[in-house]
Amino acid sequence: METETKTTQSYSEQWYWDERYTNESDPFDWYQNYTSLAPLINLYVPRRTHPVLVIGCGNSAFSEGMVDDGYEDVVSIDISSVVIDAMNKKHSDRPQLKYLKMDVRDMKVFEDASFDAVIDKGTLDSILCGSNSRQHSTQMLEEVWRVLKDKGVYILITYGAPDYRLRLFKDSRSWTTKLHVIDKSLTDHQPLETSKWELTKPIPLDAEGSSVESALGKSPDVHYIYVCIKDESLKREADTA
C-alpha cells in the first residue's frame, strides 16, 4: 500500500514519466480511448479545421484518433521529453499532429485564446496526486483558461466526483460547466448502445454537485466528463460585482 501511494504521488513529477516511458513504449490510453469518446468530442468540438490542444498526451493514440476522424490541427503536450521525442518520431509524416514538451502549468509558448478546445484525460488527476496539489491545479486551470478562445471548451475526463472537482473549477475561473458520464468498462469493442448512460446527454448538475447522486446513485462505476465552457462575460460580471 505504501509503495502504491508513493507511485501515485509521483504522477505529477517529470522524472516518473520519463522513466515510465523509457521502459513502456506501447501506446496506452488513460480512462477512455478516442473511439469511445468521439461522439462527445464531435458534439463540443464541431469545427475540425480549428486548433485543439491535448494536454498530458503521453503515448496515447487519442490525438491520432482525432486526426483520423478529420481534425486538422491537433497539438499535444506532455511534461516528458522522452515520450514527446518518441511521438514526434512516430508521427513525423503527419503534419496535422504536433507534439511539444511542456508543463501544463506554464504554457507561455501559446498566445492567449489560441485553441477552440483543450482535452484532458487524467492530467489534472495526476497533478492532484502530487505535493502542493491545490496550488498547482489552480495554476493549470488558469493556463487552460488563458489559452482557450472565448466560448472554447475544456473537456476533462476524470475519476473525480463533482463535489470536489466543481470546487476546483469555481476557485480558478468562471466556467459554465456541463457533466457527462461514461461507463468505466466501455471500450471500443462495445457499441455505445450497451452503455447504461447516454454519453451525449448531460447529467443534471447543481452548483454543489449534489444533484448527481439522485441521477446516478451512490458510487456509480463511471468516468466523469466535465465540459467547461470559457465565458468572458462571466469573468466581467465577477470583476464588477
Side-chain angles (χ1 to χ4, degrees), residues 33-45 48 69 71 182 192 199-200:
N33 58 32
Y34 180 72
T35 302
S36 62
L37 294 173
L40 193 73
I41 301 299
N42 296 164
L43 176 65
Y44 286 108
V45 193
R48 302 191 184 204
D69 197 23
Y71 290 92
I182 187 169
L192 286 176
L199 177 60
T200 55

Side-chain angles (χ1 to χ4, degrees), residues 200-215:
T200 55
K201 182 178 180 181
I203 302 296
L205 186 65
D206 58 21
E208 303 301 323
S210 56
S211 60
V212 175
E213 185 174 315
S214 299

Side-chain angles (χ1 to χ4, degrees), residues 109-129:
V109 169
F110 302 134
E111 295 182 359
D112 295 358
S114 293
F115 298 97
D116 273 26
V118 175
I119 300 173
D120 173 2
K121 291 197 305 131
T123 299
L124 179 62
D125 291 355
S126 294
I127 289 175
L128 290 171
C129 290

